[in-house]
Amino acid sequence: MMKNSNQNSNHNSDWSDVFVHLDPQAQPNYLNAIAHSARELSAMFTTVKAPYSGLEPAKLNEKIMAMPIGKTPIAPLAEIITNNVNLIGKNSIIVQHPHCIAHLHTPPLIPALAAETIISALNQSMDSWDQASSATYVEQKMTDWLCELFGYDLVQSATNNGADGVFTSGGTQSNLMGLLLARDRVVEQTSGESVQKDGLPSYAEKLRILCSHTSHFTVQKSASLMGLGERAVVTVATDEFGCLGIDALKATIADLQSQDLMPFCVVGTAGTTDLGAIDDLQAIAAISEQHNMWFHVDGAYGGALILSSHKDRLAGIELADSISTDFHKLFFQPISCGALLIRDNHNFKYLLHHADYLNRETDELPNLVDKSIATTKRFDALKLLMSMQALGTDKFGAMYDHLISLTQDVGALVKATDKFELLAQPQLSTVLFRYNDLITSGDVSTEREEQICMINQRLRLDLLTAGQAVLGETKINGYTCLKLTILNPCLQLHDFESLFTKIADFAELQAYTK
């Protein structure tokens, strides 16, 4: 039996006040919640003294696991917001702190945070136009802008249909999509088969992807997810700067072909995670064209240089078949936000699936799911649009120039600072170094090297859990080192002077070498 309308009306009143409605009387709850969240976070930020609170990890886990969830509300929303900021916010990694400098993890821009409030309230699903009318066009505007920014031609020509792109969750998804397009294209060109319809061809075990040994691990991860396996990725030796060796690339291709293997894609990197190395994209493009290989550029880190005075370092990126770029790195956007751009939009056909309820073949309006491996995805393009509108591209470029200059200064500071070693000349905005209280120009024994590695491993972890500094850790030439990833344009050299003093004092206090 159906309930009468009065019963429904009374029951609905139990939850109507927790949604954003069109009714003006319902707006105060939304406004109060957003404003209270902003006030609590703002108050928290003004009291932050360290990049991490220093609360022992097991204790933090215990507190979070003990947070109540009940059948009925546990407190008014304002109190819940305050409690969560006090526990979760205050014990988070504070990316705005000058000594939080480990990863490709930036403080977000205020215009992008404003955009996030719009994005979350509108809650557009970017798969079909009837779920994201204006948003669909905004994303297309921004992918068009990005294509032109990186030198792609949007206009159809005799050789391709014109460039296009799609927003993604970041570099991992973008790299996967670029390599997937490359795989499906080579199979179609080789045997006329469709991986989408028929699966991998009989010769799939021969397919090979080439990249430098300093390329991002998502190249191997993508090969695994695509059914080719990590062994399908062949790493090429690098030069002294960590860039893919061009002669080594030529020799590797010749060697693979002599074994009746099929190198079908080369991945060039514009900014490796550790060294910040940028491959010779022009040379790789020429080799790729010569062998009819797909050329994908992983520009997740260094692609932002296109707006800077260092844009010439990306020469040749416009020749790539596909480009991945991240906006939650050097574009300072809140996580997550990235894009895949392709030089010929015809290749998006390898991702196209039609669903009767979603993107019918008869649809006249654009559905972005046609060119994505995701169905539901966020309206992240608005963040980039509003940031560009609020700051302008010149300010972005100036921030990048500052970061690159600052990184060189920090590298020089490490060289001049007692008890630290600079392990590689900075190329982009990373500094690789290690603490060594026994710096010597002579040979160091294997036993001593192992001890130095263990000291730096312990130092990073202890600095983190004590709330003193958030540093990166990686390996270079087989040795553990510490890493600074300098992505906060508000930092100055004095921030690093105090950081190195803090690290040295902390290490001395811990007496690691005693």
Side-chain angles (χ1 to χ4, degrees):
M1 180 183 294
M2 293 183 62
K3 294 182 179 180
N4 62 45
S5 59
N6 288 336
Q7 287 177 307
N8 283 333
S9 177
N10 291 337
H11 195 60
N12 287 346
S13 65
D14 292 340
W15 54 68
S16 62
D17 59 344
V18 297
F19 289 92
V20 178
H21 291 287
L22 305 183
D23 183 354
Q25 294 181 349
Q27 301 312 311
N29 288 342
Y30 169 65
L31 293 173
N32 290 338
I34 297 297
H36 188 62
S37 297
R39 284 194 300 269
E40 290 292 313
L41 282 168
S42 180
M44 184 201 79
F45 285 135
T46 61
T47 62
V48 164
K49 304 299 182 186
Y52 174 65
S53 66
L55 181 62
E56 202 271 323
K59 188 65 175 178
L60 175 59
N61 181 58
E62 179 184 329
K63 287 177 175 290
I64 290 176
M65 292 302 121
M67 295 176 74
I69 299 174
K71 290 185 176 181
T72 58
I74 63 170
L77 179 56
E79 183 179 335
I80 290 171
I81 291 169
T82 299
N83 291 342
N84 277 274
V85 170
N86 285 337
L87 175 57
I88 297 172
K90 289 183 178 180
N91 292 293
S92 292
I93 301 300
I94 307 300
V95 297
Q96 293 85 355
H97 194 279
H99 294 167
C100 179
I101 202 156
H103 299 285
L104 288 160
H105 192 185
T106 72
L109 289 169
I110 291 174
L113 295 179
E116 284 280 13
T117 63
I118 299 173
I119 292 166
S120 60
L122 292 176
N123 204 32
Q124 304 292 278
S125 182
M126 300 301 297
D127 40 342
S128 62
W129 194 94
D130 62 4
Q131 300 178 82
S133 50
S134 297
T136 296
Y137 295 134
V138 170
E139 178 163 326
Q140 191 62 58
K141 172 185 175 62
M142 296 312 294
T143 52
D144 286 353
W145 176 76
L146 288 162
C147 285
E148 292 183 318
L149 182 67
F150 282 98
Y152 279 173
D153 192 346
L154 295 173
V155 179
Q156 184 174 354
S157 68
T159 56
N160 69 57
N161 287 3
D164 199 0
V166 66
F167 271 66
T168 67
S169 61
T172 297
Q173 183 184 341
S174 296
N175 285 343
L176 172 61
M177 290 175 65
L179 297 180
L180 187 151
L181 297 180
R183 180 202 63 184
D184 286 16
R185 187 190 72 157
V186 72
V187 170
E188 182 181 61
Q189 290 181 342
T190 301
S191 57
E193 296 174 84
S194 167
V195 176
Q196 185 186 73
K197 299 291 191 297
D198 306 318
L200 293 173
S202 59
Y203 51 86
E205 63 180 16
K206 295 184 177 184
L207 296 175
R208 293 293 183 269
I209 300 166
L210 282 71
C211 64
S212 79
H213 72 82
T214 58
S215 294
H216 199 263
F217 73 89
T218 52
V219 179
Q220 283 83 356
K221 186 173 184 177
S222 296
S224 173
L225 292 172
M226 294 191 302
L228 301 179
E230 292 185 7
R231 56 122 180 97
V233 179
V234 178
T235 57
V236 179
T238 57
D239 63 19
E240 60 182 311
F241 303 107
C243 302
L244 186 148
I246 300 305
D247 290 339
L249 175 62
K250 294 176 182 177
T252 301
I253 293 172
D255 181 56
L256 292 172
Q257 291 174 337
S258 72
Q259 300 176 54
D260 196 31
L261 298 175
M262 301 173 61
F264 70 96
C265 177
V266 182
V267 178
T269 306
T272 58
T273 305
D274 286 338
L275 290 169
I278 298 176
D279 292 338
D280 186 341
L281 304 181
Q282 284 183 312
I284 298 173
I287 294 169
S288 299
E289 183 178 17
Q290 176 186 352
H291 294 280
N292 191 31
M293 298 169 64
W294 185 281
F295 176 31
H296 175 73
V297 172
D298 178 358
Y301 179 11
L305 292 188
I306 201 72
L307 293 174
S308 76
S309 64
H310 299 270
K311 63 185 292 186
D312 289 348
R313 296 174 65 183
L314 298 177
I317 197 168
E318 72 282 357
L319 303 173
D321 293 290
S322 55
I323 302 169
S324 65
T325 185
D326 268 8
F327 309 117
H328 53 240
K329 293 185 173 69
L330 274 173
F331 285 85
F332 315 116
Q333 299 298 294
I335 296 169
S336 59
C337 194
L340 173 74
L341 311 175
I342 65 173
R343 188 154 52 101
D344 185 351
N345 67 45
H346 180 67
N347 290 305
F348 271 137
K349 69 179 183 178
Y350 299 117
L351 300 177
L352 179 60
H353 289 266
H354 285 292
D356 291 338
Y357 78 96
L358 187 64
N359 59 333
R360 298 143 294 267
E361 292 186 67
T362 57
D363 281 359
E364 298 178 2
L365 294 167
N367 299 308
L368 297 184
V369 72
D370 292 353
K371 51 184 180 178
S372 178
I373 60 173
T375 305
T376 303
K377 66 186 182 75
R378 300 180 77 250
F379 180 23
D380 288 321
L382 183 64
K383 296 186 289 195
L384 187 62
L385 172 65
M386 289 178 59
S387 296
M388 290 298 164
Q389 289 177 326
L391 275 69
T393 57
D394 286 351
K395 184 170 287 189
F396 276 90
M399 289 191 288
Y400 304 152
D401 290 345
H402 166 70
L403 287 171
I404 292 172
S405 176
L406 177 62
T407 303
Q408 293 299 319
D409 292 341
V410 173
L413 179 63
V414 173
K415 285 184 178 180
T417 303
D418 187 29
K419 297 187 178 180
F420 293 100
E421 291 180 273
L422 184 69
L423 299 181
Q425 184 60 37
Q427 297 183 58
L428 194 50
S429 68
T430 58
V431 177
L432 303 181
F433 70 104
R434 67 180 181 176
Y435 173 78
N436 183 356
D437 73 331
L438 188 63
I439 294 176
T440 173
S441 58
D443 292 335
V444 178
S445 68
T446 300
E447 181 180 355
R448 178 57 181 159
E449 283 290 359
E450 290 176 352
Q451 184 184 18
I452 295 171
C453 288
M454 288 189 290
I455 288 171
N456 281 273
Q457 289 171 352
R458 191 73 250 168
L459 180 57
R460 182 200 68 84
L461 183 60
D462 289 348
L463 283 164
L464 169 63
T465 54
Q468 296 296 303
V470 182
L471 308 177
E473 178 189 321
T474 189
K475 286 189 176 182
I476 182 169
N477 299 323
Y479 298 122
T480 298
C481 68
L482 302 176
K483 181 173 73 168
L484 307 180
T485 306
I486 305 174
L487 298 183
N488 184 347
C490 298
L491 299 182
Q492 301 295 332
L493 190 59
H494 64 79
D495 294 306
F496 295 91
E497 292 171 341
S498 66
L499 173 62
F500 289 119
T501 298
K502 177 185 289 186
I503 296 171
D505 289 347
F506 187 88
E508 182 70 23
L509 184 64
Q510 299 299 314
Y512 292 112
T513 60
K514 299 298 186 289

